[in-house]
Amino acid sequence: MAHAGERPFEFRLPEVIHVGVGSHERVVAEAGRVGSGKALVVTDPNVRATPMARRVIELLSAAGLLRGVFGDIPGEPTSTEVEKGLAALTDAKADTVVALGGGSVIDTAKAVAMLATNGGMIVDYKGANKVKTAKLPLVAVNTTAGTGSEVTRFTIITDPVTSVKMLIADPHLVADVAIDDPLLTVTCPPLVTASTGLDALTHAIEAYVSTRATPLTDLLALSAIQKIGRSIRAAYRNGEDLAARTIMHLASLEAGMAFTNASVALVHGMARPIGAYFHQAHGITNSVLLPHVMDWSLEGAPERFADIARALGVSTAGLSESEAARRAVAEVRAICRDLRIPGLTGLGIDPARLMSLAPTMARDALDSGSPGNNPRVPIAEEIVELYRRAL
Ligand SMILES: [Fe+2]
């Protein structure tokens, strides 16, 4: 695989990232610093019910920075939630957005902050680099160890008319401040821990094998893979294991920093249409697809997948690079088994309906551009076959 490093590259991140136990308290100073003191909190009902989220909202309120709370994000966000969020921002006369949640919440908040200054509808920005001007100041307080949205230049919003999960990529979507406090993840239930942790692993693996990888993203991706290989089972088994949670949180952050700069690839490209047509959460669809797509992709960059095996802690002594690469797939399969990740049918997806939609989903996947970053680039029929393997 042609690997970057010989060619120039750019590397972008939020201006400030606060990491570690207790760092949620920085939300007050940061919301005051980046904005003019009139903040709208964007969150969802599940997060809002947790004591830690209530505390973050109280901190902003006590400091006189809170103008309103928009908590109407039922799951994966559509353009309807974005429009409602924009209306809430106007009603509250707020000019700073504080996202408090996982990927769905942070993605919605990015879209709201961007549309507030750029105008139009979110569908106008589908694709890459269409945002003209800076968004409103955005502080992203992350509550899951997985999506990485707090540090990325991406937002994923579903178009309810076409059932397409629109990928919007633009440097203007990077949050000004990211806050990653493991205390906010301890209430994550095991299934969310598993699916968001495997989403982070997918980010790291896809960033590492992406044809847009760079030497800086490689460092972050391999470090994230190592940490996840070491800690994901412990975080899943005991959610209150703060040491494991802290390592997973850091790994998720590293993986996010890697993929925002190296992009994701075929797994994400294939996962979005499943989410859009079958209303499945992002993390779980990636988790199901990851080993199948790795298995199919590894011949495109066996040496990279061999590195992944070693980062996951698998011994590859005496093996050829392609044998070592297959060990990476085997280890990811073992992690999925231990975390009870089912096949697509186990998620309640009807196999006949999936296979009848698969050609359309394959086209949507290719249209998103992500499969083009894969070390082995599929044609539509090969994507259909991969959907079948993941049933
Ligand atoms: Fe993801």
Side-chain angles (χ1 to χ4, degrees), residues 219-221 223-225 227 249-259:
L219 285 174
L220 291 160
S223 176
I225 293 166
K227 288 184 174 70
H249 218 83
L250 202 51
S252 158
L253 173 63
E254 289 173 340
M257 289 160 67
F259 92 85

Side-chain angles (χ1 to χ4, degrees), residues 293-305:
V293 174
M294 287 175 74
D295 188 45
W296 184 84
S297 304
L298 60 83
E299 70 184 51
E303 70 293 345
R304 294 243 130 198
F305 285 94

Side-chain angles (χ1 to χ4, degrees), residues 221-234:
L222 283 179
S223 176
I225 293 166
Q226 252 172 20
K227 288 184 174 70
I228 295 168
R230 222 166 59 212
S231 298
I232 193 167
R233 291 175 173 95

Side-chain angles (χ1 to χ4, degrees), residues 112-172:
V112 168
M114 185 276 283
L115 288 176
T117 55
N118 282 267
M121 313 278 283
I122 194 68
V123 68
D124 304 335
Y125 299 90
K126 181 184 171 191
N129 304 321
K130 293 188 179 158
V131 180
K132 296 278 185 296
T133 189
K135 64 179 175 343
L136 291 183
L138 172 63
V139 179
V141 185
N142 177 32
T143 63
T144 62
T147 70
S149 183
E150 76 280 14
V151 292
T152 73
R153 65 191 158 93
F154 305 109
T155 182
I156 314 281
I157 306 290
T158 300
D159 180 345
V161 178
T162 59
S163 287
V164 168
K165 274 197 161 193
M166 300 181 288
L167 171 63
I168 299 147
D170 198 293
H172 287 106

Side-chain angles (χ1 to χ4, degrees), residues 83-304:
E83 294 301 320
K84 285 185 190 169
L86 208 49
L89 183 87
T90 310
D91 289 349
K93 298 189 173 58
D95 58 10
T96 304
V97 180
V98 175
L100 176 60
S104 299
V105 164
I106 298 173
D107 281 5
T108 307
K110 285 176 177 177
V112 168
M114 185 276 283
L115 288 176
T117 55
N118 282 267
M121 313 278 283
I122 194 68
V123 68
D124 304 335
Y125 299 90
K126 181 184 171 191
N129 304 321
K130 293 188 179 158
V131 180
K132 296 278 185 296
T133 189
K135 64 179 175 343
L136 291 183
L138 172 63
V139 179
V141 185
N142 177 32
T143 63
T144 62
T147 70
S149 183
E150 76 280 14
V151 292
T152 73
R153 65 191 158 93
F154 305 109
T155 182
I156 314 281
I157 306 290
T158 300
D159 180 345
V161 178
T162 59
S163 287
V164 168
K165 274 197 161 193
M166 300 181 288
L167 171 63
I168 299 147
D170 198 293
H172 287 106
L173 291 171
V174 179
D176 300 275
V177 179
I179 298 181
D180 274 297
D181 186 339
L183 283 180
L184 274 70
T185 67
V186 290
T187 51
C188 257
L191 179 64
V192 176
T193 303
S195 62
T196 54
L198 282 164
D199 185 26
L201 181 61
T202 309
H203 296 151
I205 289 175
E206 297 217 279
Y208 193 66
V209 302
S210 167
T211 53
R212 296 166 70 183
T214 70
L216 288 184
T217 59
D218 285 353
L219 285 174
L220 291 160
L222 283 179
S223 176
I225 293 166
Q226 252 172 20
K227 288 184 174 70
I228 295 168
R230 222 166 59 212
S231 298
I232 193 167
R233 291 175 173 95
Y236 174 75
R237 275 196 303 269
N238 175 13
E240 287 174 17
D241 182 340
L242 198 57
R245 289 286 197 192
T246 302
I247 294 170
M248 285 302 295
H249 218 83
L250 202 51
S252 158
L253 173 63
E254 289 173 340
M257 289 160 67
F259 92 85
T260 187
N261 289 291
S263 290
V264 283
L266 182 54
V267 180
H268 274 74
M270 287 180 61
R272 288 183 213 110
I274 299 177
Y277 288 102
F278 295 92
H279 307 291
Q280 296 287 334
H282 173 78
I284 193 73
T285 44
N286 276 326
S287 310
V288 174
L289 293 171
L290 178 61
H292 300 284
V293 174
M294 287 175 74
D295 188 45
W296 184 84
S297 304
L298 60 83
E299 70 184 51
E303 70 293 345
R304 294 243 130 198

